[in-house]
């Protein structure tokens, strides 16, 4: 079955990853020697008052070697990270396949028994393991990295997480965290092939699933009601322009919920693993805003609504 | 050799990440054998740790590139020729700049310039070359002292005021004196045109006619009657207006004659029976005749002025223009005269300069003769006196 071969493939990839990691460490220990030399040269140059051309040339040579080493190290690390991403995507495919298979196997709706705490942990983990964008010198961060918006014709793939604007039962509109099921591009809308749906196949819309299975699960929405969440974290040390800045209006996931609300950025993250600090719009507070709350990079997107509905 | 404080390098600390402390999972995985492998649940932590390593390596790379660039620029500034030459000389040895040699010893040997080089014969070549470069360094420095060109700038700015007058300039002056062709135009008083109220009335009527014509034309477009219709209309309008004008011209209940004509007729004729054609021209002819006979004074000017402010203003400006033009003309004449005088003086001055040169020549000849310890010949003395006298005469002309 497809699932079994996926397993063996995953096992293969894990082995390859292991090898890559070992190679990485070899590379790193090799370049260690040169870095130590550089350190010694620095010390010597700093103790002597004059900088002789001898030292300059020597330093240049050492730097060039170190550069080559650093590049090699970066390459291997990137390969390792790509490998991890590959494994993860395989795992994700496996999960989606299982989900669809499960849907066919029993006509009952999927289990609603995931406890809130478990869901929250999952969300947090997903935010933490969002890959960090580390560009080579001269690279610009791509679309869907941090605050960089998706390109105009971008279509979210099945399994991608998005912020979706849905109409609740009482008529209220809310932005919820959802996962894309499918998209049909016949007429620019999303729809799910092979899924029970009231719409004829050529009405194209996104089909998204509410992450929180307590709510209405499957929604069919047009493209403008769906905002894809970022697929990379932006590194504040190298690409601060890919982060939202202070006072920018965004949609952020309220902590411990699965809904997005309007918020102002209070402070962008300082280190790659840090969260944004945001102020949610909240009429129950005197100044209209909540105290600063932390929201991971994954759950902060640009807000395009001009006014609160 | 440059001082430490001049060094633009920053001497970054290029220590690599201590993975034992920062990346525990990574370290653990390293320790395992291939058989144990990695568990799926470890992927997330591994990912984070690898990202940390990658980001620090990336940062190191960037800093290294920046520092290398600084080093290169710095070296190039401080006499790269020196290094290039050295580099070439040492090609047989080890290339000092390429990063290939991992051993320090080789680099050390290559880097030493004037000191103990890698081979005896080389050092001899090096010494004079180094000295050369020491010298050539200086001329590069010298031009940096800015030249004082203030006096040059001053004379350049004053030059237009003190330069000689050229014949071109005199010609320009003469041209300026010629009266402008359009002078007559400025003094003309244009005749009174149609009064604006009448003109506007006419234009309004025309507009209405046009609109009407256009509306009709749009309806008649298919019949193609547009062109001739509008023309006819304009003519109609004019006729209409003329009729109304003619009517307005007769406030004096029905009397066709002008004021003078009336008075004359009153004096000469008992009743006013007949209608005379061309009453307007009759009126003006009578006026002219009376003025010619001296019975009536030409009184048109003042009467017009009192009511016509525009005319009054126009006359004032014309008078100003006349006065100003006259003034300008006298000045230009004076200027031309002075310029001509100056030109002749310039010629004289030029002759003085030439005479000066001749005197100097004669003087030099006499000095040379004196140096050679012989008395100057009669020829030389005569020449000297001649030139002196010439010069004096020219000067007299000049001052005279």
């Amino acid at each position: 079955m497809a699932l079994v071969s996926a397993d063996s493939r995953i096992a293969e990839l894990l082995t390859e990853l292991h090898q890559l990691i070992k190679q990485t460490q070899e590379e790193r220990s090799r370049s260690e020697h040169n870095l130590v030399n550089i350190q010694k040269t620095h010390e010597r140059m700093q103790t002597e008052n004059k900088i002789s051309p001898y030292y300059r040339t020597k330093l240049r040579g050492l730097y060039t070697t170190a550069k080559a080493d650093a590049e090699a190290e970066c390459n291997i690390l990137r390969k390792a990270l790509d490998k991890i991403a590959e494994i993860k995507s395989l795992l994700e495919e496996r999960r989606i396949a299982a989900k669809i298979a499960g849907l066919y196997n029993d006509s009952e709706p999927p289990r609603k028994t995931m406890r809130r705490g478990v869901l929250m942990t999952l969300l947090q983990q997903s935010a933490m393991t969002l890959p960090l964008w580390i560009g080579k010198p001269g690279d610009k961060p791509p679309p869907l990295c941090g605050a960089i918006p998706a390109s105009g014709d971008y279509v979210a793939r099945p399994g991608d997480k998005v912020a979706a604007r849905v109409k609740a039962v009482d008529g209220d509109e809310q932005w919820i965290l959802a996962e894309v099921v499918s998209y049909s591009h016949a007429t620019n809308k999303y729809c799910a092939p092979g899924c029970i749906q009231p719409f004829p196949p050529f009405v194209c819309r996104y089909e998204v699933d509410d992450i929180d299975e307590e709510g209405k699960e499957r929604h069919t929405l047009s493209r403008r009601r769906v905002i894809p969440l970022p697929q990379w974290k932006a590194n504040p040390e190298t690409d601060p322009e890919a982060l939202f800045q202070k006072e920018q209006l965004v949609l952020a996931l309220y902590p411990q919920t699965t809904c997005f609300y309007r918020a102002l950025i209070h402070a962008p993250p300082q280190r790659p693993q840090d969260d944004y600090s945001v102020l949610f719009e909240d009429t129950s507070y005197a100044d209209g805003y909540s105290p600063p709350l932390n929201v991971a990079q994954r759950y902060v997107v640009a807000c395009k609504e001009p006014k609160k509905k | 050799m440059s001082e430490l404080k001049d060094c633009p390098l920053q001497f970054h600390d290029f220590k690599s990440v201590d993975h034992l402390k920062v990346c525990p999972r990574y370290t653990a995985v390293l320790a395992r054998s291939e058989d144990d492998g990695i568990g799926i649940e470890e992927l997330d932590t591994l990912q984070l740790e690898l990202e940390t390593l990658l980001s620090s390596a990336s940062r190191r790379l960037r800093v290294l590139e920046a520092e290398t660039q600084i080093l290169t620029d710095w070296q190039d500034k401080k006499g790269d020729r020196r290094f290039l030459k050295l580099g070439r000389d040492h090609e047989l040895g080890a290339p000092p700049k390429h990063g290939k040699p991992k051993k320090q010893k080789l680099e050390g040997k290559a880097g030493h310039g004037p000191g103990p080089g890698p081979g005896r014969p080389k050092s001899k070549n090096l010494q004079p070359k180094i000295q050369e470069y020491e010298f050539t360094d200086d001329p590069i420095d010298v031009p940096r002292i800015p030249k004082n060109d203030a006096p040059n700038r001053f004379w350049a700015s004053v030059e237009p005021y003190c330069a000689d007058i050229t014949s071109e300039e005199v010609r320009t002056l003469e041209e300026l004196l010629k009266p402008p062709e359009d002078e007559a135009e400025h003094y003309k008083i244009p005749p009174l045109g149609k009064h604006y109220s009448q003109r506007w009335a006419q234009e309004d009527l025309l507009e209405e006619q046009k609109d009407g014509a256009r509306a009709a034309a749009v309806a008649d477009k298919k019949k193609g009657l547009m062109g001739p219709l509008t023309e006819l209309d304009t003519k109609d309008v004019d006729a209409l207006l003329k009729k109304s004008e003619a009517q307005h011209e007769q406030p004096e209940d029905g009397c066709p004659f002008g004021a003078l004509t009336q008075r004359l007729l009153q004096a000469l004729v008992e009743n006013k029976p007949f209608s005379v054609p061309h009453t307007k021209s009759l009126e003006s002819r009578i006026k002219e005749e009376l003025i010619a006979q001296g019975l009536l004074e030409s009184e048109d000017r003042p009467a017009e002025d009192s009511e016509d402010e525009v005319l009054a203003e126009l006359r004032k400006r014309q008078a100003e223009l006349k006065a100003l033009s006259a003034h300008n003309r006298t000045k230009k004449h004076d200027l031309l005269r002075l310029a001509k005088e100056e030109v002749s003086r310039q010629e004289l001055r030029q002759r003085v300069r030439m005479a000066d040169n001749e005197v100097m020549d004669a003087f030099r000849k006499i000095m040379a003769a004196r140096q050679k310890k012989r008395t100057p010949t009669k020829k030389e003395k005569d020449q000297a006196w001649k030139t002196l006298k010439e010069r004096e005469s020219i000067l007299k002309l000049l001052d005279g």
Side-chain angles (χ1 to χ4, degrees):
Chain A
M1 273 254 315
L3 295 175
V4 169
S5 68
D7 275 345
S8 57
R9 175 88 186 113
I10 289 179
E12 259 177 47
L13 292 174
L14 283 172
T15 324
E16 286 171 21
L17 179 65
H18 200 163
Q19 283 170 343
L20 281 173
I21 291 188
K22 292 221 160 122
Q23 278 175 17
T24 313
Q25 190 48 32
E26 277 169 25
E27 185 65 42
R28 296 184 72 239
S29 21
R30 197 166 59 80
S31 42
E32 189 71 27
H33 174 67
N34 198 37
L35 293 177
V36 168
N37 281 348
I38 291 185
Q39 188 66 22
K40 281 197 227 153
T41 315
H42 279 179
E43 282 165 17
R44 255 183 271 153
M45 283 170 89
Q46 276 164 319
T47 50
E48 285 184 27
N49 218 7
K50 293 197 190 266
I51 313 251
S52 65
Y54 157 67
Y55 273 126
R56 266 188 259 150
T57 332
K58 178 170 171 175
L59 202 61
R60 225 158 131 184
L62 288 175
Y63 278 175
T64 318
T65 320
K67 266 204 299 187
D69 287 343
E71 264 188 60
E73 190 180 326
C74 284
N75 281 345
I76 295 204
L77 280 167
R78 275 184 218 276
K79 276 200 220 151
L81 282 168
D82 287 343
K83 191 68 59 179
I84 293 188
E86 209 184 317
I87 299 176
K88 280 190 163 177
S89 71
L90 265 184
L91 286 172
E92 183 73 8
E93 273 176 32
R94 204 171 66 167
R95 181 181 70 84
I96 293 182
K99 197 160 118 176
I100 295 182
L103 212 58
Y104 274 128
N105 279 348
D106 76 49
S107 51
E108 288 162 21
R111 55 185 182 92
K112 293 185 177 183
T113 52
M114 188 187 287
R115 287 212 312 272
R116 198 131 191 101
V118 176
L119 177 62
M120 290 306 141
T121 317
L122 272 180
L123 290 184
Q124 215 178 7
Q125 205 175 24
S126 158
M128 239 191 359
T129 61
L130 191 66
L132 180 68
W133 170 259
I134 302 171
K136 304 196 189 132
D139 269 357
K140 278 179 54 141
L144 288 183
C145 168
I148 313 269
S151 49
D153 51 0
Y154 178 77
V155 170
R157 290 160 305 192
D160 282 355
K161 300 288 186 293
V162 298
R165 196 171 88 207
V166 299
K167 228 182 183 73
V169 194
D170 51 3
D172 263 351
E173 298 249 330
Q174 248 202 352
W175 286 93
I176 61 167
L177 179 60
E179 180 185 320
V180 171
V181 174
S182 67
Y183 173 78
S184 157
H185 33 241
T187 50
N188 219 26
K189 289 188 192 151
Y190 288 84
C191 85
C195 226
I196 310 154
Q197 40 163 355
F199 294 95
F202 53 84
V203 169
C204 281
R205 297 194 166 231
Y206 270 114
E207 273 244 338
V208 300
D209 266 352
D210 193 338
I211 283 278
D212 181 359
E213 286 150 348
E214 274 180 38
K216 172 183 177 214
E217 283 172 34
R218 193 144 288 190
H219 301 271
T220 314
L221 305 166
S222 72
R223 279 184 67 174
R224 58 186 176 77
R225 281 169 171 261
V226 168
I227 303 181
L229 295 183
Q231 299 191 330
W232 283 282
K233 280 199 278 240
N235 189 349
E237 290 155 0
T238 55
D239 306 302
E241 72 275 8
L243 290 170
F244 290 107
Q245 302 303 317
K246 201 163 145 76
E247 302 290 317
Q248 261 189 290
L249 183 65
V250 294
L251 279 172
L253 193 74
Y254 202 90
Q256 306 300 318
T257 71
T258 56
C259 293
F260 289 85
Y261 296 95
R262 289 155 61 94
L264 288 180
I265 302 281
H266 181 67
Q270 300 295 317
R271 291 169 310 162
Q273 320 90 311
D274 287 347
D275 291 341
Y276 280 101
S277 172
V278 306
L279 309 168
F280 283 96
E281 278 181 12
D282 195 339
T283 47
S284 56
Y285 288 93
D287 61 350
Y289 289 102
S290 70
L293 294 168
N294 285 346
V295 181
Q297 280 199 39
R298 185 148 173 56
Y299 300 123
V300 176
V301 289
C303 179
K304 292 209 193 87
E305 280 170 37
K307 228 172 35 150
K308 196 169 182 167
K309 292 226 179 78
Chain B
M1 297 276 205
S2 47
E3 299 287 330
L4 184 62
K5 58 175 163 45
D6 293 339
C7 174
L9 294 173
Q10 292 187 359
F11 297 115
H12 287 271
D13 187 7
F14 286 121
K15 262 207 305 261
S16 62
V17 175
D18 185 355
H19 61 92
L20 293 168
K21 275 194 234 146
V22 178
C23 309
R25 189 55 58 100
Y26 172 81
T27 320
V29 166
L30 281 174
R32 276 186 232 153
S33 70
E34 289 271 340
D35 296 330
D36 287 341
I38 310 177
I40 297 182
E41 66 286 354
E42 299 176 300
L43 282 177
D44 287 336
T45 346
L46 265 178
Q47 183 191 329
L48 285 173
E49 289 174 1
L50 287 174
E51 278 173 0
T52 318
L53 291 175
L54 180 56
S55 115
S56 101
S58 215
R59 209 172 335 135
R60 196 183 335 138
L61 184 59
R62 258 181 255 254
V63 170
L64 277 170
E65 280 190 9
E67 291 284 290
T68 324
Q69 191 59 39
I70 295 176
L71 207 48
T72 320
D73 291 341
W74 193 34
Q75 274 182 338
D76 287 345
K77 224 174 43 169
K78 268 291 182 186
D80 51 351
R81 280 182 285 165
R82 191 189 294 189
F83 279 97
L84 280 176
K85 269 283 179 169
L86 284 178
R88 248 185 282 142
D89 283 345
H90 293 247
E91 251 166 20
L92 292 175
K97 291 208 208 129
H98 303 312
K100 268 192 280 169
K102 294 195 190 123
K103 314 202 195 329
Q104 290 162 272
K105 279 187 269 173
L106 216 56
E107 281 180 331
K109 277 214 187 105
H112 275 297
R120 278 297 163 71
K122 292 232 170 80
S123 57
K124 273 205 215 131
N125 285 354
L126 279 168
Q127 290 290 20
K129 287 203 181 103
I130 298 298
Q131 276 169 359
E132 231 177 34
Y133 290 128
E134 300 281 23
F135 285 134
T136 49
D137 233 4
D138 288 338
I140 301 172
D141 286 314
V142 163
R144 272 192 239 136
I145 300 167
K147 261 178 20 188
N148 183 18
D149 65 339
N152 297 354
R153 273 186 280 134
F154 169 70
W155 286 118
S157 68
V158 172
E159 201 253 336
Y161 299 95
C162 311
D164 288 345
I165 300 184
T166 61
S167 51
E168 261 207 47
E169 284 155 4
V170 175
R171 253 182 290 138
T172 327
L173 265 179
E174 283 169 4
E175 282 210 22
L176 277 176
L177 265 177
K178 276 190 264 178
E181 292 100 25
D182 57 350
E183 211 172 66
E185 276 227 13
H186 294 309
Y187 290 111
K188 255 200 301 201
I189 295 185
L192 275 178
K194 219 190 250 185
H195 198 253
Y196 66 85
S197 56
Q198 295 173 353
R199 191 161 42 89
W200 292 351
Q202 186 173 17
E203 280 174 11
D204 284 341
L205 251 161
L206 252 169
E207 272 290 326
E208 279 180 36
Q209 287 286 355
K210 272 208 196 110
D211 285 339
R214 229 180 287 139
V218 164
D220 293 337
K221 216 177 188 177
K222 297 168 191 163
K223 301 182 199 162
L225 292 175
M226 238 172 71
L229 210 58
T230 45
E231 272 183 43
L232 278 173
D233 282 336
T234 337
K235 291 205 182 96
D236 280 346
V237 166
D238 278 341
L240 222 98
L241 277 175
K242 283 217 172 58
K243 248 195 278 174
S244 66
E245 266 182 35
Q247 284 172 3
H248 277 288
E249 287 283 12
Q250 307 196 345
E252 322 96 328
D253 29 60
C255 183
F257 303 121
L260 283 175
T261 329
Q262 273 186 27
R263 279 154 69 182
L264 255 179
L265 280 176
Q266 257 184 341
L268 300 170
V269 179
E270 290 272 309
N271 44 1
K272 302 172 216 167
F274 49 91
S275 64
V276 178
H278 316 297
T279 46
K280 272 205 241 153
S281 49
L282 182 60
E283 165 76 11
S284 47
R285 271 163 42 208
I286 290 187
K287 196 194 245 178
E288 279 177 31
E289 194 60 42
L290 286 173
I291 291 172
Q293 293 293 337
L295 293 169
L296 212 60
E297 286 158 13
S298 54
E299 15 97 305
D300 44 357
R301 298 295 119 147
E304 291 177 44
D305 274 356
S306 56
E307 298 208 340
D308 195 349
E309 288 143 350
V310 175
L311 188 60
E313 196 65 25
L314 185 61
R315 281 189 207 288
K316 248 198 277 179
R317 296 291 163 232
Q318 281 174 348
E320 264 189 61
L321 181 63
K322 214 185 280 190
L324 204 59
S325 310
H327 178 82
N328 284 355
R329 230 176 321 188
T330 37
K331 288 288 178 240
K332 282 184 205 165
H333 275 297
D334 286 342
L335 199 59
L336 188 61
R337 186 172 45 83
L338 285 169
K340 289 198 174 130
E341 276 174 35
E342 186 63 25
V343 164
S344 55
R345 287 174 72 90
Q346 265 168 217
E347 283 172 27
L348 276 176
R349 261 186 246 131
Q350 180 74 1
R351 284 171 60 191
V352 169
R353 274 196 283 269
M354 290 201 316
D356 281 346
N357 286 342
E358 285 172 19
V359 169
M360 289 304 292
D361 280 340
F363 175 70
R364 270 189 278 259
K365 280 199 201 125
I366 295 182
M367 290 306 288
R370 216 174 278 175
Q371 256 194 347
K372 291 182 197 157
K373 303 271 177 65
R374 63 173 175 86
T375 56
T377 63
K378 187 155 193 322
K379 194 166 128 195
E380 282 163 356
K381 281 199 219 163
D382 281 344
Q383 195 178 19
W385 279 117
K386 198 172 92 171
T387 48
L388 272 171
K389 289 231 164 56
E390 243 188 76
R391 186 169 167 278
E392 270 190 47
S393 64
I394 301 177
L395 275 173
K396 240 190 246 163
L397 265 177
L398 200 58
D399 295 330

